[in-house]
Amino acid sequence: MKSKKYVYVGIAAACIAAAIVILTQSNVGQTASTPTGISAYTLDFTYETANADLKSTLISQSINMSKPLEFSTATDINQYCNFLTNQTKQAMIQYCTSTEIKDENNSFLGNVNMVGSALAPVLVITAAQSDPTFSNYHDVKTLFVDVINETVCQCWDKEKPGGYSTPSDMIDALRAFHLKGTEPDSTTHSIPLNGKHFEIEMTTNTQGYLWKLLVAR
């Protein structure tokens, strides 16, 4: 089981722990009736619903998503779900799910991880690896667009964040910006949409390019 867990969370655990996470909700000024602690950050869906809906959407586009691995002990969370650079917020994490994503040829594409309270996630972390020739770039975009639609909203065409007509257009723009630059990392920074925030990051690594999508309140 340990080897299976490692496979599922490999990209995320190795490459996202140092990422800046976008948990933007603040407890400052809250009243007694306002949720505190991790409850103040929870997203408006459950692990089960989000994972099931995302799996169904992806399979319709020939991308396979595994059954989620679930982590609830402090030891497992520390080992497999230690994604937040802010250790105060990391200490609040009570539960985590991890799924493995493969393309239609059963080749590994990436992971989708959700961390938060025992009832609902506070952060969705999607990671995907593309090679130097971007041979699976379409699958990376499909995965990211589906995660945005299922965990943020299906309302992009109404708000058009950043002036982009589609999330795919934003991802294309980030890739173009990154390839023209000289820095190893590029990011959209935190983008508000439907009462939540998301951020897309692209990093040059030895295998090609690591893509990350973070979704939070």
Side-chain angles (χ1 to χ4, degrees):
M1 177 58 75
K2 287 186 177 180
S3 61
K4 186 177 181 182
K5 288 180 181 179
Y6 178 77
V7 170
Y8 275 49
V9 298
I11 286 183
C15 304
I16 296 183
I20 298 174
V21 241
I22 51 173
L23 293 175
T24 56
Q25 180 76 26
S26 172
N27 289 335
V28 177
Q30 290 180 330
T31 66
S33 61
T34 305
T36 58
I38 199 170
S39 297
Y41 300 86
T42 52
L43 293 161
D44 56 354
F45 50 81
T46 65
Y47 299 94
E48 182 178 9
T49 297
N51 280 314
D53 289 349
L54 183 57
K55 182 174 183 175
S56 177
T57 300
L58 288 170
I59 197 64
S60 70
Q61 300 175 81
S62 302
I63 295 178
N64 300 300
M65 177 175 168
S66 70
K67 180 180 178 181
L69 290 176
E70 303 174 19
F71 306 101
S72 57
T73 69
T75 299
D76 279 351
I77 289 171
N78 183 62
Q79 183 171 359
Y80 301 111
C81 312
N82 195 356
F83 302 129
L84 279 61
T85 53
N86 184 315
Q87 290 306 299
T88 300
K89 291 185 174 70
Q90 176 62 41
M92 295 192 295
I93 300 302
Q94 303 165 353
Y95 191 82
C96 171
T97 65
S98 179
T99 58
E100 185 178 59
I101 309 299
K102 293 185 177 181
D103 65 20
E104 62 181 340
N105 299 315
N106 208 35
S107 297
F108 179 75
L109 180 63
N111 303 101
V112 177
N113 296 276
M114 302 183 190
V115 301
S117 72
L119 297 177
V122 300
L123 180 66
V124 178
I125 305 166
T126 305
Q129 179 68 44
S130 59
D131 60 35
T133 64
F134 295 99
S135 63
N136 65 349
Y137 182 54
H138 175 75
D139 286 339
V140 172
K141 289 203 295 181
T142 298
L143 172 62
F144 278 28
V145 171
D146 286 348
V147 171
I148 290 171
N149 284 337
E150 294 298 338
T151 65
V152 181
C153 70
Q154 298 183 27
C155 59
W156 188 285
D157 58 338
K158 295 180 181 179
E159 299 194 33
K160 292 184 171 59
Y164 295 101
S165 296
T166 66
S168 180
D169 289 343
M170 177 178 284
I171 296 169
D172 286 341
L174 177 62
R175 182 178 76 155
F177 174 82
H178 184 76
L179 294 179
K180 289 179 181 177
T182 58
E183 298 298 322
D185 303 289
S186 299
T187 176
T188 62
H189 298 295
S190 180
I191 299 170
L193 181 63
N194 193 43
K196 302 170 189 173
H197 291 76
F198 71 91
E199 179 174 319
I200 303 174
E201 302 173 4
M202 181 180 177
T203 302
T204 301
N205 61 15
T206 55
Q207 291 78 44
Y209 303 95
L210 174 69
W211 296 83
K212 292 169 281 186
L213 168 62
L214 311 175
V215 176
R217 282 184 58 178

